[in-house]
Amino acid sequence: MGMLIDNRSREALLAEIEALHLRIEKTEQMLQGYESVYRILVETMNEGAAILTMDGVILYCNNRLATLLQVPPDQLIGSSLGAYVTPSDYPLITSLLENHNQSYDKQELSMINGEGTSIPVVFSCRTLEFPVNQRISVILTDITERKQEEMALLTSEKGFRLLAEGMPQIVWVTRADGWNCYFNQQWVEYTGLTLEESYGHGWNKPFHPDDQQRAWDAWQNAVTNNDSYSLECRLRRADGIYRWWLIRGVPVLNRAGNIQNWLGTCTDIDNIKQAETQIQIAAEREHAAAALRESEALYRAIGESIDYGFWICDSGGRNIYASPSFLKLVGLTQDQYSNFGWSTVLHPDDAESTLSAWQECIRTGGMWVIEHRFRGADEQWHPILARGVPVRDKNGDIKYWAGINLDITGQKKTEALLRESDRRKDEFLAMLGHELRNPLTPISNVAQVLSSSPLKESTLNWATETLIRNVTHITKLVDDLLDVSRITRGLVKIQRERVELVKLLKDLTESILPLIQTKHQTFNLELPAQPIYLQGDPIRLTQVFTNLLNNAVKYTDLDGRIDLRVSVECSSIFVYVQDNGIGIEPQLLPHIFDLFIQGRIELDRSEGGLGLGLTLAKKLVELHGGQITAYSQGINQGSQFLIQLPEFVKETALTKPLTLQSSTKETDQGLRVLLIDDNEDVVESTALWFTMSGHQIAIARNGTQGVSTAQTFEPDVILLDIGLPDIDGYQVARKLRELPTTQGALIIALSGYSLNKTLLGEVTDFDHYLLKPPNFNQLRNLLAKYKRSNQSTEDLYS
């Protein structure tokens, strides 16, 4: 009986031991899973991570730490972390590691990478307790960018403060709401107020009682209207004396165009005010001439201290003083200028009206304000803004006049440029409206014709040709506008390859000949017998020469002549496009390549264009490293454009040209095509073409519906709009690539936006990026290629 109890106990004990083994195995498996997860987490961190021995030897490090230190992981493991610390920070990290019983967070120090470059980091460490021994975990965060930003901010603020503190004027800064937050030391020294007393609205305390409300109202008006602030007022000095100051402030805008803060200065003008007072005192004296002579030094100092001309006349309007700056401008001495001698340098068209207005101003005692032209010492006519006021004695009688003459030549030129720019903008908008209405009219007419039934086959053919022709014309207008925008922003890149120029010119002239023949013009083509090779972009070069030839046809009358010649000289290629058309006006010639510039367009010339062709041609030639020049003897003397392309290349020096295989032949079997677009007309018209081409179609109106339809329809090809109402096309493409049914599908982006640098990183999930309206021949080729290879291997951004 005792033996039986022992056997049962043994069996229970064995069962318990076996269960314990199973729990241990599960625990080990779970720990291994946790270790795998932790390792993945550590390897995906943006920070460098390592585990050290208590002596600082690296036992483990993640790839981020190896990248940060630019040292291979296998080389880091087994080395001392202290070997990668700058000498100045070595005692710090030694102290941190020695005090392992404490944890340290966010200690800044500098590491040295494998190339010897110092890297600022934030250092954190913890002690890890293991059953057998202890280890130290280390986290290193690269703060290079933060340090650079802190240094830039520190440098900017320090530079401003150094500048502000070094200026003789008082400098102040307020928040956007007008709350003062900075004064330089000059304010403290002058007013005797502390900075704390001046902050907020405390700045109003030193104002003269008679000026306080006026200053406050002017400031509130500036803040409310986001306008500049300018005011002359009196401020109390620390010793109680009031002096006159000119206070000016301007709003500082951020990148969004909103006011970030206000920046202003206070300039002591008490001396100028005193000078004005002296002038008034002198005016009250019995003899104005004697008083003016006594104050001559003062007047001369004022006149020579300003950039514009200062003048003084007696009560009868006769000049008795002009500042040297203005005398130098007009090339006269004071004696020549005095009395009414200044009228000798007035423009003939302004002399009579100016003298008449001056006499009337003297008679009425009003303020003198006029714009007129003076002949300068440079023999050029300078527009001058003249302003003057009467200075009266205590009885109100005019004793003399004081004023300024301001040369506004620069302002007038700027105004003229603005008017010209505005005129060109208006002309461009008018021409754009005209150019868009031209093709829209036949499109509208065709749409109305197609709404009638029944239609003859000839009428349908005519309607089709008309729609294609005018849609192509509108597309060309939009493409030109986009090209100009992209070139101006530096987004156009030249795709260089070997180009045979003679063949390129022959091919493009064949497309121009029908237009030339309609105007009964003679076309003379002179090309070398041998091939000419260069490295260039064939599409962009074709665009250049097509624009120049179209321009020649447009501005050449019926039965005119157009020449296209090519020559090679000194390893450069020269292409001449010449016509005997209406020519270029001399004043237009220097600006012929500017945006929206056009020659004379008569009412009988229907091909006005947008004035973009020559601008595009010039920009594209320059991107090829060449230059383009225009010549003309004037109206009705014809025009010539010379294009010089550099780096003539011999045939033997070129690599074998890339040959594109035609893929227009399609297999008989149709494809399953999913259209995702919220534009009803685009979807219906595109679906019609695919259906007529033998393909099976499914349609989705938004991104969410598109993803859902793709799971059930299992399309071969997906045409995806970028601008969808719920989620954009980039997000839809990423979701489609994750679906088993569409991982290998041909995904084509169809968008109205040109691909730029900002969008370039978003198109990785697309096989192709096409602009609206799509070219069906291009689509047909893409589908044929997909059928052959069952996947796309090119990046095609049209």
Side-chain angles (χ1 to χ4, degrees), residues 614-662:
L614 292 181
T615 302
L616 283 173
K618 182 175 185 294
K619 297 293 185 182
L620 292 175
V621 168
E622 290 174 348
L623 286 175
H624 280 82
Q627 59 183 5
I628 181 172
T629 312
Y631 303 92
S632 178
Q633 295 297 321
I635 298 300
N636 296 324
Q637 300 297 314
S639 307
Q640 176 179 290
F641 291 87
L642 170 60
I643 302 96
Q644 179 184 358
L645 295 171
E647 299 181 4
F648 169 66
V649 184
K650 295 182 180 180
E651 181 179 4
T652 55
L654 295 169
T655 59
K656 184 177 180 180
L658 178 63
T659 302
L660 297 177
Q661 297 182 353
S662 174

Side-chain angles (χ1 to χ4, degrees), residues 288-341:
L292 290 172
R293 284 194 298 270
E294 291 175 4
S295 304
E296 180 180 358
L298 175 61
Y299 302 145
R300 187 176 302 278
I302 295 175
E304 293 177 358
S305 66
I306 54 181
D307 294 333
Y308 40 81
F310 181 75
W311 54 263
I312 299 174
C313 293
D314 63 19
S315 59
R318 292 174 291 272
N319 179 268
I320 57 178
Y321 174 79
S323 60
S325 60
F326 193 74
L327 293 176
K328 182 179 180 181
L329 174 67
V330 296
L332 297 179
T333 65
Q334 180 63 66
D335 290 339
Q336 293 171 325
Y337 193 84
S338 293
N339 203 350
F340 287 93

Side-chain angles (χ1 to χ4, degrees), residues 83-119:
Y84 301 99
V85 178
T86 57
S88 60
D89 286 339
Y90 186 81
L92 173 60
I93 195 172
T94 301
S95 174
L96 295 175
L97 294 177
E98 287 178 352
N99 296 310
H100 57 269
N101 290 326
Q102 303 178 27
S103 62
Y104 291 94
D105 283 327
K106 301 181 180 179
Q107 296 287 329
E108 292 191 10
L109 49 82
S110 297
M111 308 293 289
I112 301 178
N113 64 19
E115 295 182 353
T117 303
S118 176
I119 305 170

Side-chain angles (χ1 to χ4, degrees), residues 678-697:
D678 61 325
N679 187 294
E680 187 72 22
D681 292 336
V682 171
V683 169
E684 296 298 334
S685 58
T686 307
L688 178 60
W689 179 83
F690 276 106
T691 301
M692 294 174 63
S693 300
H695 303 292
Q696 186 176 350
I697 302 300

Side-chain angles (χ1 to χ4, degrees), residues 187 330 372:
W187 168 269
V330 296
H372 44 201

Side-chain angles (χ1 to χ4, degrees), residues 326-430:
F326 193 74
L327 293 176
K328 182 179 180 181
L329 174 67
V330 296
L332 297 179
T333 65
Q334 180 63 66
D335 290 339
Q336 293 171 325
Y337 193 84
S338 293
N339 203 350
F340 287 93
W342 51 269
S343 63
T344 61
V345 289
L346 272 174
H347 193 284
D349 296 340
D350 299 340
E352 183 178 353
S353 59
T354 295
L355 289 171
S356 176
W358 179 231
Q359 292 297 339
E360 179 65 16
C361 187
I362 294 170
R363 186 185 69 81
T364 61
M367 186 174 182
W368 173 245
V369 179
I370 195 172
E371 284 188 18
H372 44 201
R373 290 162 290 179
F374 277 82
R375 184 181 66 246
D378 57 2
E379 298 299 325
Q380 302 294 321
W381 293 107
H382 293 259
I384 301 296
L385 172 62
R387 292 179 179 268
V389 294
V391 180
R392 303 176 184 271
D393 60 19
K394 61 183 178 180
N395 298 320
D397 297 326
I398 296 176
K399 303 302 294 180
Y400 56 87
W401 296 76
I404 61 168
N405 285 328
L406 178 61
D407 186 355
I408 56 175
T409 302
Q411 176 183 333
K412 289 294 183 182
K413 288 181 178 179
T414 301
E415 291 175 354
L417 289 174
L418 289 174
R419 285 194 298 270
E420 174 64 16
S421 175
D422 193 54
R423 182 189 65 79
R424 285 167 56 185
K425 177 199 68 176
D426 290 342
E427 289 180 355
F428 165 72
L429 292 175

